[in-house]
């Protein structure tokens, strides 16, 4: 089969290359398309049946389709410079401030009594509802909400003592 394929390639390889070169206008793209068309011919060789369209017609159709695909992809790619855009990444001082706030918050949470710490962690870090957090702590909802309120006040006081004030205002 390999020798037959070599003969087919020798006889018909110019067809997909010629079509591709005329359609896409670039030698390297035409060579890639011709090679892809011949690879598809090889992959489809076991299914080839006598009496169907000829190899040249089949390679022509494949080369046209591959060329059209290449032209469509070109529309989405451009050599033009992208427009200048301001860097949207936070500045270093903002990152440092956020890091310091996160560190102070972790320290303040660590200083809370155990059950208050659990209330904060379950509510704000694990995104549990008050009812879900109350169940986890084996409390009724009113007792949990009171515990959470005390924990939030203690956190706000601790952060204020560290010189950190909430951007939204301290809520109680």
């Amino acid at each position: 089969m390999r020798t037959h394929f070599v003969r087919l390639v020798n006889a018909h390889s110019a067809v997909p290359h010629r079509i591709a070169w005329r359609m896409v206008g670039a030698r390297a793209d035409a060579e890639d398309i011709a090679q892809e068309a011949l690879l598809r011919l090889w992959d489809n060789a076991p299914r080839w049946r006598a009496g169907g369209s000829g190899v040249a017609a089949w390679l022509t159709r494949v080369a046209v389709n591959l060329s059209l695909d290449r032209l469509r992809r070109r529309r989405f790619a451009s050599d033009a410079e992208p427009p200048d855009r301001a860097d949207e990444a936070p500045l270093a001082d903002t990152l440092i401030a956020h890091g310091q706030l996160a560190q102070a918050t972790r320290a303040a949470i660590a200083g809370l009594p155990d059950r208050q710490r659990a209330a904060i962690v379950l509510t704000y870090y694990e995104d549990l509802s008050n009812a879900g957090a109350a169940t986890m702590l084996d409390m009724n909802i009113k007792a949990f909400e009171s515990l959470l309120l005390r924990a939030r006040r203690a956190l706000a006081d601790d952060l204020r003592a560290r010189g950190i004030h909430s951007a939204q205002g301290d809520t109680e």
Side-chain angles (χ1 to χ4, degrees), residues 4-165:
H4 296 295
F5 185 74
V6 170
R7 278 190 241 147
L8 279 174
V9 168
N10 289 337
H12 299 288
S13 64
V15 172
H17 186 271
R18 196 173 47 244
I19 291 168
W21 187 82
R22 288 185 176 133
M23 286 186 68
V24 299
R27 174 170 284 160
D29 287 342
E31 290 170 0
D32 290 347
I33 290 168
Q35 185 176 17
E36 177 66 24
L38 292 169
L39 283 172
R40 289 186 183 188
L41 178 63
W42 174 258
D43 289 342
N44 288 295
R47 293 190 295 265
W48 200 267
R49 300 287 177 250
S53 64
V55 172
W58 188 89
L59 281 172
T60 299
R61 186 172 56 246
V62 171
V64 167
N65 289 336
L66 289 170
S67 297
L68 291 171
D69 288 345
R70 182 72 55 109
L71 291 170
R72 281 186 208 110
R73 279 196 306 264
R74 276 190 191 167
R75 276 189 237 145
F76 298 108
S78 172
D79 292 336
E81 285 292 318
D84 286 337
R85 182 184 303 173
D87 186 1
E88 297 173 8
L91 298 176
D93 59 341
T94 303
L95 293 174
I96 291 169
H98 285 302
Q100 290 171 339
L101 176 61
Q103 184 178 15
T105 302
R106 282 191 300 271
I109 291 171
L112 290 173
D114 293 345
R115 289 183 66 79
Q116 288 182 7
R117 183 180 327 145
I120 293 291
V121 168
L122 291 173
T123 303
Y124 295 104
Y125 292 94
E126 296 301 315
D127 291 325
L128 290 179
S129 66
N130 286 358
T135 300
M136 297 298 286
L137 293 175
D138 197 25
M139 301 175 76
N140 70 46
I141 188 74
K142 291 292 183 187
F144 176 79
E145 288 174 348
S146 176
L147 177 68
L148 184 59
L149 181 63
R150 288 191 311 275
R152 290 179 62 209
R153 282 185 185 150
L155 271 179
D157 292 344
D158 190 330
L159 291 173
R160 231 185 337 268
R162 294 171 190 262
I164 298 171
H165 300 282

